[in-house]
Amino acid sequence: MKIYNGDGIILGRLASAAAKDALLGEEVRIVNTEKVIISGKKEVVFAYEKQRFNRMGHPARSERHTRTPDRLVRRSVRGMLPWKFTRGKEAYKRVRCYHGIPAEFSTEKLIVLTKESTKKLPTLRYATVREVCKNVGGKSI
């Protein structure tokens, strides 16, 4: 089982690393999902998420959007998987995301992706997943 620490890591890079491990058959856990980073100006990130959340379609068939950080990160991992095939669905079942660090993982060694942190960004313009979810209407954690 691989346990990733999402504190200060860029969302897309974390999701691709988790998806790759899940496709190889590993159980993947991501902790501190509320501290994961989405790069870009806050205003632009908030506007995109708000517009994405307000898209309308057929109510029974339209996509469901979440307002919680753990589900948003898990959904991003799903975007990196071949979802329409059985191996992608099986890999998605092996991915779990958590707020903070649960007691069961407090003694475990966490994987920190140092190359994918905020140090990789050319500017310090970013928003955390917690801020994005709160802006869309989620409850504060």
Side-chain angles (χ1 to χ4, degrees), residues 12-72:
R13 294 173 188 274
L14 175 65
S16 65
K20 188 182 294 184
D21 288 336
L23 282 171
L24 293 174
E26 288 278 341
E27 293 289 326
V28 177
R29 304 293 182 253
I30 302 173
V31 296
N32 286 329
T33 55
E34 69 276 1
K35 297 177 183 175
V36 174
I37 300 297
I38 299 175
S39 62
K41 288 184 181 179
K42 281 187 183 184
E43 301 85 31
V44 175
V45 172
F46 291 164
Y48 172 74
E49 290 296 327
K50 193 78 127 176
Q51 182 265 342
R52 189 175 140 260
F53 192 82
N54 290 330
R55 274 189 208 144
M56 298 300 285
H58 191 277
R61 292 187 219 123
S62 64
E63 184 179 5
R64 305 293 190 274
H65 296 288
T66 182
R67 293 178 172 138
T68 59
D70 57 334
R71 290 183 183 169
L72 192 142

Side-chain angles (χ1 to χ4, degrees), residues 75-138:
R75 176 64 193 206
S76 298
V77 173
R78 184 187 140 175
M80 302 287 177
L81 293 170
W83 175 251
K84 294 186 178 182
F85 298 102
T86 306
R87 66 187 273 256
K89 290 182 182 181
E90 293 296 322
Y92 187 61
K93 290 177 186 175
R94 291 190 283 270
V95 176
R96 294 282 177 257
C97 299
Y98 302 96
H99 296 289
I101 301 176
E104 59 192 84
F105 302 134
S106 61
T107 59
E108 300 282 331
K109 187 173 186 292
L110 303 177
I111 298 171
V112 180
L113 303 171
T114 54
K115 288 186 177 180
E116 287 79 11
S117 67
T118 55
K119 295 177 182 121
K120 183 89 172 171
L121 296 174
T123 63
L124 294 178
R125 294 180 177 168
Y126 58 84
T128 63
V129 172
R130 169 188 266 170
E131 293 169 344
V132 170
C133 289
K134 192 171 182 182
N135 186 276
V136 172

